[in-house]
Amino acid sequence: MAMSCKDGNKHGIDNGKYVRYTPEQVEALERLYHECPKPSSIRRQQLIRECPILSNIEPKQIKVWFQNRRCREKQRKESSRLQAVNRKLTAMNKLLMEENDRLQKQVSQLVYENGYFRRHTQSTTLGAKDTNCEPVVTSGQHNLTSQHPPPRDASPAGLLSIAEETLTEFLSKATGTAVEWVQMPGMKPGPDSIGIVAISHGCPGVAARACGLVGLEPTRVAEILKDQPSWFRDCRAVDVLNVLPTANGGTIELLYMQLYAPTTLAPARDFWLLRYTSVLEDGSLVICERSLKNTQNGPTMPPVQHFVRAEMLPSGYLIRPCEGGGSIIHIVDHMDLEPWSVPEVLRPLYESSTVLAQKMTMAALRQLRQIAHEVSQSNVTGWGRRPAALRALGQRLTRGFNEALNGFNDEGWSVMGNDGMDDVTILVNSSPDKLMGLNISFANGFSSISNAVLCARASMLLQNVPPAILLRFLREHRSEWADNNIDAYSAAAVKVGPWSLPGSRVGSFANQVILPLAHTIEHEELLEVIKLEGVGHTPEDAMIPREMFLLQLCSGMDENAIGTCAELIFAPIDASFADDAPLLPSGFRIIPLDSGKETSSPNRTLDLASALEIGPAGNRAPNDAVNSGCTRSVMTIAFEFAFESHMQEHVASMARQYVRSIISSVQRVALALSPSHLSSHGGLRSPLGTPEAQTLARWICNSYRCYLGVELLKSGNEGGGELVLKTLWHHSDAIMCCSLKPMQALPVFTFANQAGLDMLETTLVALQDITLEKIFDDHGKKTLCSEFPQIMQQGFACLQGGICLSSMGRPVSYERAVAWKVLNEEENAHCICFMFVNWSFV
């Protein structure tokens, strides 16, 4: 290894311009590099003293060595990244070429069919009839299976015949033209996308197809995909009832699969399936499935109580090894979910291929990508847990919520009589072995307080409220709907002492801190710990700090994802947070019933208390159209409570009242967020047409120019109030206003542009709940207090960069901040405006 050097007379240095290091010297430098890639000058001098073998090398040369070493490491990583990208692009190009060939075949078939039907129509018009001629071409998507299949039996030969037919039909869908596929709305294929996703057009049932690349070997991919309950959240169980090997080295399996009902308004589904696993001549691994029906004369499965038998048409996975590692995968899901068995309002859920694609097809790809990402990353994530352990916690939350929501008899659930109203259903589970470990004993002699679990559940129809917006409000503002006493009672289920029913006020959990735990690659699912902080209010523990923890799973917060539901599922946990801790999940599920795409932005909410009514249209891009249609969704609520059996009636009464109060809170919030409601009262106005909003924007810009001598906006105030407000709203820096009302003890935020809402991690409807002091740390508060008189007297102040906090408690760094007084038309102070420049989450 050589280095440039000024002195060529020292040992180890060439008589020119290079330093040549001995292997021992390189080893010593490499050892330090792995400990500290960028040592300080003091550390480099210390290294020379500690390693006599480096005494002949100048400190400056050691500095150069470390610079070059870091450069080589960066180049190596970049080279590896580019090679991986190149392999991925090569595989994606191959995939796209195959897709192009398939589409060309489909076009040729449609052209041929079109010509045939045109000739047939012309011959009919001319009156020419040929009784000996029969149609020889039919659309493949309407003739997937023969009308009269040959008789078969349940013998291995008969099952193999069904399996081979299933394989042929699956491949015709995966790579052929048996189904007319159209690209799923909102999906943009590319090297960083989840894959190429398509939905069926004009075929029986609902169907979805996906093609993608995953960094896992085919056998590992097949293992993951066969374990459907681990990634398909609606899948309750897959029981393998029989396994038969085939002569070609494959296997035939007879399966019984159950799916949870997503809401209390519909029954669950089950399937009686044949699954065929085999290897093709080109080395591709195929897993295909289909339902077994009486018409095939194969083995039968009698109906199961409380389940509707649905049909799976030939579906499956085609997995091919990819050059350089990984796999190319084709997924086809094709089902008939028997929509006749659900209320008409829910039928869009069972007739939408988009919903199937989101819930099943894309979920499989996401699981594969997530596991591949975890394999390539560190084994330990936040809170010292491995990714697999965190995924297991998320699965436990979802599974526990689904079990409570469905209330199956085989899990010990039974329906309790109502109180004269059927809006809330109460279920009781008195089987100790079904309570997920709630009856465990603790080291100090106390045992869990409960030997039974009660679930209160209800469903409600929401009109014209985007699920993602409502879910974010429920997540960020728990105090708006949750009861502190109920939270404390639920938390007692995971603690080690006795507890009583809520009577006197046990405390107030005023502060909510969201602690991120894990998230999926695309952030479509978040696992987090909610820390609720407060003080006690009983005479014995007045002002004693209290806290409780919730494990929470949040998904479906992306409004642009079509057909996906929004979920907020949580369970109280002990501070120890053990992997096998008992969980009693409760929460909300909001399912959109309309397939139309929402056009609103992620922050489409309203500040109901502010006179500046910046509504949904203001948060949309200029070219977005207002969604005039009425969107519908169904919300399902389920809350679980552990209790002692002799207190069943009391806990049931408490649970009914609590769920009814939550329903009232949700209806109030949904009504506030509903554009149709606000527009009927004149409340929903586009900010570009709201005089108050335009006036405030003009005041903000004029005051900034008056006090600082420069324009806030590049376009100045040209173009009228509408353009000024629009430019201010989309300004890259966070701009927010605080009130200056004498009656208020602390200034509260009354307005923020889009960047301001993003920085505070809030919405306009909740902005008024945030006071100015809440967003600053101790240093920021001291700086603000010292500068506040200057702002009031001089009119502005420039604050140094620092750290502030979002409404979720996340630290936000900013390069600098500017504060100035906003003057109205009468030159009176209307509010104070803050601008945080170059902010980012730490």
Side-chain angles (χ1 to χ4, degrees), residues 603-817:
N603 283 306
R604 203 198 87 171
T605 36
L606 304 177
D607 181 1
L608 304 178
S610 173
L612 304 172
E613 292 167 325
I614 296 186
N619 294 12
R620 285 191 289 268
N623 296 330
D624 285 346
V626 177
N627 183 14
S628 58
C630 177
T631 60
R632 299 175 302 168
S633 58
V634 60
M635 169 182 271
T636 300
I637 305 171
F639 277 74
E640 290 190 88
F641 304 92
F643 68 95
E644 295 176 335
S645 57
H646 67 276
M647 301 179 66
Q648 177 171 312
E649 293 295 334
H650 298 283
V651 176
S653 176
M654 173 199 73
R656 284 193 187 96
Q657 295 177 11
Y658 186 43
V659 171
R660 284 169 182 162
S661 69
I662 291 175
I663 291 174
S664 298
S665 300
V666 169
Q667 288 175 334
R668 184 181 69 253
V669 173
L671 188 64
L673 299 178
S674 172
S676 60
H677 170 79
L678 290 174
S679 61
S680 64
H681 291 80
L684 178 63
R685 290 174 288 177
S686 167
L688 305 185
T690 304
E692 297 93 337
Q694 296 178 13
T695 299
L696 177 62
R698 190 175 68 252
W699 289 351
I700 291 173
C701 297
N702 290 342
S703 301
Y704 186 87
R705 183 178 64 251
C706 174
Y707 288 120
L708 285 89
V710 294
E711 295 288 351
L712 175 62
L713 307 178
K714 293 181 180 179
S715 59
N717 288 347
E718 300 176 0
E722 182 174 328
L723 180 60
V724 171
L725 176 59
K726 175 181 170 183
T727 308
L728 182 71
W729 181 257
H730 295 288
H731 198 284
S732 60
D733 295 325
I735 300 174
M736 52 197 75
C737 294
C738 279
S739 62
L740 279 178
K741 298 179 181 179
M743 298 300 293
Q744 288 182 338
L746 298 172
V748 298
F749 289 106
T750 57
F751 169 81
N753 68 346
Q754 185 66 71
L757 294 177
D758 293 340
M759 190 188 89
L760 294 178
E761 291 190 291
T762 189
T763 54
L764 285 173
V765 73
L767 189 65
Q768 60 176 330
D769 298 330
I770 304 175
T771 60
L772 181 61
E773 70 162 5
K774 279 187 178 181
I775 72 167
F776 286 103
D777 58 8
D778 293 338
H779 177 72
K781 291 176 183 177
K782 293 178 182 179
T783 303
L784 183 63
C785 290
S786 62
E787 297 290 345
F788 199 79
Q790 178 182 344
I791 298 174
M792 300 307 297
Q793 295 175 8
Q794 182 178 323
F796 75 98
C798 295
L799 310 178
Q800 295 181 352
I803 300 292
C804 63
L805 302 174
S806 73
S807 63
M808 298 291 102
R810 293 176 64 189
V812 181
S813 67
Y814 56 93
E815 185 179 291
R816 60 187 176 88

Side-chain angles (χ1 to χ4, degrees), residues 557-568:
M557 291 193 296
D558 182 9
E559 286 187 78
N560 296 320
I562 306 171
T564 185
C565 71
E567 291 182 333
L568 186 69

Side-chain angles (χ1 to χ4, degrees), residues 230 374 385 430 447 456 530 613:
S230 68
E374 292 170 1
R385 279 173 166 76
S430 302
S447 62
I530 309 300
E613 292 167 325

